[in-house]
Amino acid sequence: LSPKQTSNIVMSIKFTVRWIPLIATAVAMLIGILMGEWQTRRAMEKELIEAKLVERASASQINLKNDNQNKELIQYRRVVTKGQFVQEWPLYLDNRPYRSVAGFYVLMPFRIEESSKYVMVVRGWSKRNIADRKKVPDYVTPTGLVEIEGVIMQHPGHLLELGKKSEIKPSAIMQNLDINAFTIASKLNLYPFVIEQTNEIKDGLVRDWPRPSFGIEKHRGYAFQWYALAATAFIFFVVTGCSRERK
């Protein structure tokens, strides 16, 4: 080319839409946005839980002898009650690790003093027997009148459960607790919540409970990663769809 011809060359950018990359990008962006929004909602839910925990931690303790309490309003409230453990009905929730050690949550119904009402107490954590997975942990259950302090929870935590649910029976090892199903099986008149025990009664169980609002920053971090995935997919689609042409 002569110098005159070279000066007349113009570089132009052309954008070409290809259907397969377009569909792949749309799918990637949709997944990223939806998962990012879900993680954002989880963070907001745990922020609300944390606000309730802070608010209700300063409130006075509830005594369960008073049956007129609003069950929705007392979640996360500190509670105290006296009564007796129903030793014939222990339950064990499986797959509850503590500091990376496999173990159980030990649950037991508790009959409230001078009342026909019962409440399920999540007593504490115990290490699993690795050699025999069906062997339940050793611990001490006090007899007679006992005072229990703790926090009212809707449930002791739900895990993903595949396959057939375990039969509800004394000393059953289960994945999750269904209060209504347990009430029917045991024929005990239970409150529709559990008490996460916090006071020490020298029974050999660990009561270092995870905070229900734990993981707010983790959810925010995951949300950022999912949104970044959606943005990256869009940028990659735009950049790869552009081509330069000489005129």
Side-chain angles (χ1 to χ4, degrees), residues 138-193:
D138 295 326
Y139 56 91
V140 177
T141 300
T143 59
L145 198 63
V146 183
E147 183 173 87
I148 294 297
E149 295 179 10
V151 177
I152 292 177
M153 306 292 289
Q154 185 177 358
H155 51 72
H158 280 299
L159 301 180
L160 179 63
E161 189 169 3
L162 301 175
K164 186 179 179 180
K165 293 185 178 181
S166 302
E167 180 185 357
I168 301 176
K169 60 182 180 180
S171 300
I173 298 176
M174 312 173 67
Q175 191 80 351
N176 295 299
L177 171 69
D178 184 331
I179 288 288
N180 293 330
F182 179 80
T183 300
I184 296 172
S186 65
K187 300 179 181 179
L188 300 176
N189 185 15
L190 271 85
Y191 278 106
F193 53 78

Side-chain angles (χ1 to χ4, degrees), residues 22-34 226 229-234:
L22 175 62
I23 295 172
T25 300
V27 171
M29 290 183 63
L30 179 63
I31 292 174
I33 292 171
L34 291 179
W226 283 112
L229 171 66
T232 302
F234 176 74

Side-chain angles (χ1 to χ4, degrees), residues 110-141:
F110 189 82
R111 181 170 183 173
I112 298 170
E113 180 188 21
E114 299 177 358
S115 172
S116 61
K117 296 286 289 185
Y118 295 77
V119 64
M120 182 64 77
V121 176
V122 189
R123 297 183 53 186
W125 177 90
S126 183
K127 184 179 179 180
R128 169 188 279 283
N129 187 321
I130 302 300
D132 185 358
R133 295 182 61 85
K134 293 184 179 180
K135 184 177 180 180
V136 298
D138 295 326
Y139 56 91
V140 177
T141 300

Side-chain angles (χ1 to χ4, degrees), residues 12 27 51 58 80 83 115 126 159 199 201-202 214 225 233:
S12 64
V27 171
S58 59
V80 60
S115 172
S126 183
L159 301 180
N199 65 314
I201 56 175
K202 297 181 180 180
F214 176 77
Q225 292 176 10

Side-chain angles (χ1 to χ4, degrees), residues 14-16 18 21 25 233-243:
K14 180 181 179 181
F15 185 78
T16 303
R18 300 177 179 86
T25 300
F234 176 74
I235 294 171
F236 182 79
F237 173 74
V238 172
V239 171
T240 56
C242 295
S243 60

